[in-house]
Amino acid sequence: MSETPGGTPGTLDELARRAGKWLSLSAAAPERHTAAVVADRFDRITWRDTYEQSAALRELAEELNESYDHTHDDSYGRPHDHTSARPHDHTTDLLTDAFLAAYKVNPRLRERTEMDPARLVNHQVITSLVESLEFAELRRETAGDPYAAAMAVLAQATALRRMLEATRGAQDKAEQAKKAQQDAERAATAVAEALQQAADETGDIDGADEDGAQPTPAAAEAVQQTIEAAEASEAAARQAAQGAAQAIAAAAPGIRVAARSAAAKAAEGARAEAALMRAWGVGPGELERMPFDQRARLAERLRTSRLAEWAELIGRFRQMADGERARKVENATGELVGVTLGNDLSRVIPSELANLGLPALRAVFAARYAAGELMLYDSQGEQTTGRGAIIACVDTSHSMYEAGPGGITREAWSKACALALLDQARHAGRDYVGILFSAADKLKVFRFPADGPADVARVLDFAETFLGGGTSYQRPLSAAGGLLEEEFNDAARMRGDIVMLTDDDCGVTEEWMRGWNDAKHRLGFRVFGVAIGAPRVAEADSVLDALCDNLRAIEDLTDVHAAADLFRVI
């Protein structure tokens, strides 16, 4: 090997061999990612849309950026992942990863070696989240649901602040490691550029010998200096990376504890909101179609409504009613009481079915089936007879605010029952009307036609309205009878059902009573009475008893099954 007087390799071949390591680094620097969670284009679109729709997410991102992110690098001059709204903030990248980890059905994390060094703290945080049992519980509520995933991120905000505060030192070292790595890459690029410069200069002179082309001493010295600078930069980068790794490892136990706590809190909040939605009859399909802001406002309203503390009671009532519907089958078999004629194949007696086995009698069987003369088991059982509207008249006088056993108010119990009756009407395809009443001059009517969706905001208005004052039976029952009369005139539907929910007994005039009985006979509706927390109202000589075809007293307001028979016969 020939060398320059100063000891520098003298030929291009010798310089290239020594610079080979740096040439390869310059030519193929590895791609580094700022996102810990692997995401496709659709995931990124979902995040951007959710971010744009959620003012709370944007505010959190701004706050975290101002408090914990003071670096705005160029990400090595290569394209960013573009999964965050502010592409160079490690705090916003952390929110993006937390969202995607909760949203994706099977989130996959990148290897540490694939990560941008400045995002290794994020990688540790997200790894700690995803690996916790609490996060697995959270994802049962958030997977595939952008809104729920966003709410989970917001629920973890306090823990994220705590983790960012605790990892300030580690983040600083990670940033230093990134800068050192950038310096090393730039140094490698400088080697390639110096060698190319030497080659360009060699092509202009006649200095070749048997060992290869001979660059000028100045060019060879420049290459040698860039190689030495690259070696120093590599050593500095290696030391910085080691320091960052040690700092992150030291912070890891605290991050894991905070991540578990954050996931547990978010899971609890997600379950509570899901239960709240279910309790108020808001189905998953309806939630998926609901715009982000509307869903957020609905959740807030449900949390702060007058009956928010009774959401569990409302949910139990609805579940009970749903169970009663499952037990009740139209034309239910019930108790066998004999044999009758008809064409219900589900009740054909065995001897009739035996005729199908004889070719000569099959035509006879078919003829008797067409004529409705097959022998069937006869039975008796509870059957639904109502076809007109279901109307719930709910007493909202002052006394209904009184609490009974378990601290449940009479209003809460009656509203829970009324909402379950709304479900009953929707299930049967019947109109539903909620009439809130108290004194004769206080009445509010909420109509929910069967041919349209039950607007959640309207349902909440019905549940939250409380009129106060005294109690009058004539005004709400007259309104209910008028609505059934209107339904009969418009749609020729009869046999509606009125449910009177009250805790008081009050008089009615004889003239009104005669008109009431005439309307019942003409329209064929039934009246069910529920005396809530006031057994005397259900006594045989009470006015309510005289008004109702079926009356029961509810004393234990914690027992939703006390009204189960309503949902079997309505």
Side-chain angles (χ1 to χ4, degrees), residues 435-448:
I435 298 178
L436 304 179
F437 70 93
S438 57
D441 61 340
K442 293 185 177 182
L443 189 84
K444 195 165 181 63
V445 178
F446 295 82
R447 304 184 69 164
F448 300 93

Side-chain angles (χ1 to χ4, degrees), residues 199-245:
D200 291 343
E201 292 180 4
T202 300
D204 295 333
I205 61 175
D206 297 325
D209 59 21
E210 67 276 7
D211 294 324
Q214 185 79 35
T216 64
E221 180 63 25
V223 173
Q224 178 64 17
Q225 288 177 356
T226 59
I227 291 174
E228 291 172 355
E231 290 172 342
S233 293
E234 181 192 35
R238 190 164 48 247
Q239 184 176 0
Q242 184 178 5

Side-chain angles (χ1 to χ4, degrees), residues 144-399:
D145 187 338
Y147 170 86
M151 293 301 103
V153 173
L154 294 173
Q156 297 173 88
T158 299
L160 290 174
R161 292 186 192 95
R162 190 161 58 247
M163 284 187 276
L164 288 169
E165 185 65 37
T167 56
R168 276 186 187 272
Q171 183 62 39
D172 288 343
K173 289 185 178 296
E175 297 288 351
Q176 292 168 13
K178 175 175 181 174
K179 183 178 182 304
Q181 190 172 65
Q182 288 176 314
D183 290 344
E185 291 177 0
R186 283 193 286 266
T189 301
V191 172
E193 291 173 349
L195 188 62
Q196 182 61 51
Q197 181 66 31
D200 291 343
E201 292 180 4
T202 300
D204 295 333
I205 61 175
D206 297 325
D209 59 21
E210 67 276 7
D211 294 324
Q214 185 79 35
T216 64
E221 180 63 25
V223 173
Q224 178 64 17
Q225 288 177 356
T226 59
I227 291 174
E228 291 172 355
E231 290 172 342
S233 293
E234 181 192 35
R238 190 164 48 247
Q239 184 176 0
Q242 184 178 5
Q246 290 173 345
I248 294 172
I255 292 175
R256 283 191 288 270
V257 171
R260 290 184 59 185
S261 174
K265 180 178 180 181
E268 181 181 358
R271 284 193 298 268
E273 182 163 314
L276 197 61
M277 293 293 182
R278 287 193 297 270
W280 285 94
V282 186
E286 185 176 359
L287 289 175
E288 290 176 5
R289 296 188 297 270
M290 198 175 292
F292 187 97
D293 287 344
Q294 182 182 346
R295 186 169 169 183
R297 289 193 300 271
L298 173 61
E300 179 62 22
R301 183 175 179 187
L302 291 180
R303 282 191 293 268
T304 58
S305 71
R306 286 187 61 250
L307 295 183
E309 62 180 307
W310 311 120
E312 190 269 340
L313 172 70
I314 294 169
R316 285 196 295 121
F317 234 112
R318 283 182 142 145
Q319 289 173 0
M320 178 274 292
D322 189 56
E324 293 303 318
R325 280 193 295 274
R327 290 176 53 191
K328 178 178 63 177
V329 179
E330 192 168 354
N331 298 321
T333 314
E335 179 185 359
L336 296 177
V337 294
V339 175
T340 187
L341 298 179
N343 59 4
D344 185 352
L345 296 178
S346 68
R347 293 189 287 139
V348 175
I349 67 174
S351 61
E352 287 277 27
L353 291 174
N355 291 335
L356 287 175
L358 301 174
L361 296 179
R362 287 175 185 169
V364 175
F365 182 95
R368 293 179 64 189
Y369 172 76
E373 295 178 351
L374 294 174
M375 287 189 290
L376 314 175
Y377 284 121
D378 196 10
S379 63
Q380 64 182 10
E382 294 171 329
Q383 297 183 14
T384 300
T385 59
R387 288 295 180 269
I390 296 176
I391 301 178
C393 296
V394 183
D395 187 350
T396 60
S397 61
H398 284 312
S399 58

Side-chain angles (χ1 to χ4, degrees), residues 342-527:
N343 59 4
D344 185 352
L345 296 178
S346 68
R347 293 189 287 139
V348 175
I349 67 174
S351 61
E352 287 277 27
L353 291 174
N355 291 335
L356 287 175
L358 301 174
L361 296 179
R362 287 175 185 169
V364 175
F365 182 95
R368 293 179 64 189
Y369 172 76
E373 295 178 351
L374 294 174
M375 287 189 290
L376 314 175
Y377 284 121
D378 196 10
S379 63
Q380 64 182 10
E382 294 171 329
Q383 297 183 14
T384 300
T385 59
R387 288 295 180 269
I390 296 176
I391 301 178
C393 296
V394 183
D395 187 350
T396 60
S397 61
H398 284 312
S399 58
M400 290 291 286
Y401 203 69
E402 182 179 330
I408 297 172
T409 65
R410 296 173 180 180
E411 180 205 9
W413 195 97
S414 64
K415 294 286 182 64
C417 183
L419 291 174
L421 286 169
L422 169 59
D423 291 345
Q424 190 85 348
R426 309 302 293 180
H427 186 269
R430 300 168 65 181
D431 289 348
Y432 178 81
V433 181
I435 298 178
L436 304 179
F437 70 93
S438 57
D441 61 340
K442 293 185 177 182
L443 189 84
K444 195 165 181 63
V445 178
F446 295 82
R447 304 184 69 164
F448 300 93
D451 58 0
D455 181 70
V456 179
R458 184 72 171 160
V459 172
L460 278 169
D461 288 341
F462 167 57
E464 290 183 321
T465 300
F466 189 82
L467 302 176
T471 305
S472 169
Y473 282 177
Q474 290 186 192
R475 179 84 188 280
L477 290 175
S478 294
L483 289 168
L484 293 177
E485 182 90 44
E486 177 185 322
E487 183 179 38
F488 174 73
N489 293 333
D490 292 345
R493 281 199 298 268
M494 299 175 61
R495 294 186 296 156
D497 290 310
I498 298 173
V499 181
M500 188 76 167
L501 298 137
T502 183
D503 69 341
D504 199 4
D505 202 33
C506 63
V508 296
T509 67
E510 290 185 11
E511 181 182 0
W512 181 89
M513 192 68 177
R514 283 194 296 271
W516 175 252
N517 288 330
D518 288 343
K520 281 186 66 179
H521 179 73
R522 186 175 67 259
L523 300 174
F525 60 79
R526 301 177 298 177
V527 182

Side-chain angles (χ1 to χ4, degrees), residues 32-34 64-65 67-76 80 86-94 112 115-123 164 167-186 233 236-248:
R32 295 180 178 86
H33 297 273
T34 56
L64 296 183
N65 176 64
S67 300
Y68 302 105
D69 201 326
H70 306 291
T71 58
H72 301 281
D73 56 75
D74 61 0
S75 294
Y76 308 108
H80 189 271
R86 298 185 58 167
H88 307 308
D89 301 341
H90 84 269
T91 50
T92 307
D93 284 338
L94 179 60
R112 285 176 56 85
M115 294 299 297
D116 179 327
R119 300 299 187 267
L120 287 174
V121 172
N122 286 6
H123 188 277
L164 288 169
T167 56
R168 276 186 187 272
Q171 183 62 39
D172 288 343
K173 289 185 178 296
E175 297 288 351
Q176 292 168 13
K178 175 175 181 174
K179 183 178 182 304
Q181 190 172 65
Q182 288 176 314
D183 290 344
E185 291 177 0
R186 283 193 286 266
S233 293
R238 190 164 48 247
Q239 184 176 0
Q242 184 178 5
Q246 290 173 345
I248 294 172

